[in-house]
Amino acid sequence: MKKFLLTIAAAAMAAGLNAQQTYNFFDAADVDSDGWLWFDTQAKLDKYCGYASKTKSFAIQLQDADYELEDFSQPQCTTDAGYTGLGTDGTKGGANSRTGAIILPPAGPGFSALTAPGGRGGAIMLHLPDCAKLDVCVSAEQEAINLCVHVASGNVRVTEVQMIKGGEKIGGVFGDDLENVTYTGNWNDIEQLEDSEYGPNWDQYFKIQSNPGEKRTVLIGNYMKNSPLYIHGIRVLTYSDNSGAGVEEIGNATTDDNAPLYNVFGVKVDSSYKGIVIKNGKKFVNR
């Protein structure tokens, strides 16, 4: 009888864990019935996506490609609610295609995940209060889609996230192509990735999925040299209620034409500064 009661108690505990309350990381009004945030309107792209500055942060932070062009600028991420991706048949607007995307520029011409990891393409970064579920819908201008995932415990800077090696059954993490995805498709269950064998903290092993209250920083980047990576939608569930995620105003942020300028290192500059600058959370080249 005692063994039977212990078995019942263990089953009840497992059921309780599986039934734990989760919340959508994005506002309920912006996601569909399955919890997906689709980038099919410019309003949603402007609300959630942008370059962070000292005065403003976005739920989806854009990160430039990790290499320089001839003019010393870095290829920038863009957003386009009107972009129509390739379908699974390889034609623009074809079967299962999506409209609207965050557009991550390609990796550098000399990029290699093993020998030259500094040349990855553009990326998005999420600062999560914790992580229960993470899926993305992507497309590319080539049949095989190759991307990377980096993660860190806590909410940290982009330089502090490390590469996830991941499991082969999910793919697309360490130089592998996404399995069962041709030109476009969903990459589901990213939160199950673990085994952080590579990176500056190579001895830290943990899943992207976390316990309630355990913060995660997740970066998803483009590893393809011949195509941008188009992110059409994303689904993020957390254990913490993050209602109102989107643009976070820090201090007395301003969005008018007189807003201050910052360089990529977060240093305040004036209008005579030449190069990449950030204004109102948006990044552009000042010539």
Side-chain angles (χ1 to χ4, degrees):
M1 176 62 72
K2 183 176 180 181
K3 183 176 180 181
F4 174 76
L5 291 175
L6 288 174
T7 302
I8 293 296
M13 181 178 294
L17 290 174
N18 291 333
Q20 189 160 11
Q21 176 70 48
T22 59
Y23 302 87
N24 203 296
F25 185 59
F26 308 106
D27 290 343
D30 296 323
V31 300
D32 68 11
S33 59
D34 292 321
W36 282 86
L37 174 68
W38 298 106
F39 302 118
D40 50 1
T41 69
Q42 198 61 44
K44 285 190 282 187
L45 286 165
D46 290 343
K47 177 178 180 178
Y48 291 106
C49 309
Y51 286 94
S53 70
K54 284 189 174 181
T55 58
K56 183 177 292 186
S57 180
F58 292 83
I60 302 173
Q61 299 180 28
L62 305 181
Q63 303 290 329
D64 286 342
D66 194 19
Y67 62 94
E68 292 183 342
L69 302 173
E70 291 182 358
D71 63 357
F72 303 106
S73 66
Q74 294 172 280
Q76 300 177 43
C77 302
T78 57
T79 62
D80 186 353
Y83 172 80
T84 300
L86 271 63
T88 49
D89 57 359
T91 63
K92 193 175 183 66
N96 302 307
S97 64
R98 287 280 180 178
T99 298
I102 302 171
I103 304 172
L104 308 184
F111 172 75
S112 166
L114 286 172
T115 61
R120 66 146 176 80
I124 61 171
M125 189 169 74
L126 307 170
H127 279 162
L128 303 177
D130 41 46
C131 184
K133 180 70 173 168
L134 176 58
D135 310 311
V136 294
C137 176
V138 297
S139 74
E141 295 166 2
Q142 62 183 49
E143 185 173 358
I145 299 178
N146 192 279
L147 65 163
C148 66
V149 173
H150 295 229
V151 68
S153 180
N155 290 163
V156 301
R157 297 179 180 181
V158 64
T159 54
E160 298 177 69
V161 293
Q162 64 188 44
M163 184 180 294
I164 283 270
K165 182 181 178 183
E168 288 74 11
K169 69 176 183 178
I170 297 178
V173 183
F174 191 68
D176 296 327
D177 299 326
L178 284 183
E179 292 184 356
N180 303 316
V181 173
T182 303
Y183 293 109
T184 187
N186 291 355
W187 185 15
N188 296 324
D189 304 321
I190 300 174
E191 78 282 351
Q192 295 300 320
L193 293 176
E194 58 182 333
D195 185 13
S196 301
E197 184 175 340
Y198 299 90
N201 302 313
W202 59 269
D203 58 338
Q204 296 183 10
Y205 292 83
F206 54 88
K207 280 187 178 182
I208 294 177
Q209 188 178 53
S210 70
N211 293 319
E214 291 182 352
K215 296 180 179 180
R216 290 287 187 264
T217 299
V218 182
L219 179 143
I220 300 174
N222 187 1
Y223 264 23
M224 298 176 290
K225 293 187 283 188
N226 299 315
S227 171
L229 176 66
Y230 301 94
I231 300 181
H232 298 287
I234 187 168
R235 176 168 55 187
V236 182
L237 301 182
T238 64
Y239 299 113
S240 301
D241 188 356
N242 198 59
S243 299
V247 179
E248 179 185 354
E249 303 290 348
I250 303 174
N252 296 317
T254 178
T255 58
D256 63 16
D257 292 337
N258 296 319
L261 298 174
Y262 298 90
N263 65 18
V264 294
F265 301 105
V267 178
K268 190 174 181 178
V269 297
D270 59 31
S271 58
S272 65
Y273 181 86
K274 305 299 181 185
I276 299 174
V277 295
I278 302 169
K279 182 177 181 179
N280 288 325
K282 301 292 183 181
K283 188 177 290 190
F284 60 92
V285 178
N286 201 29
R287 303 184 186 280

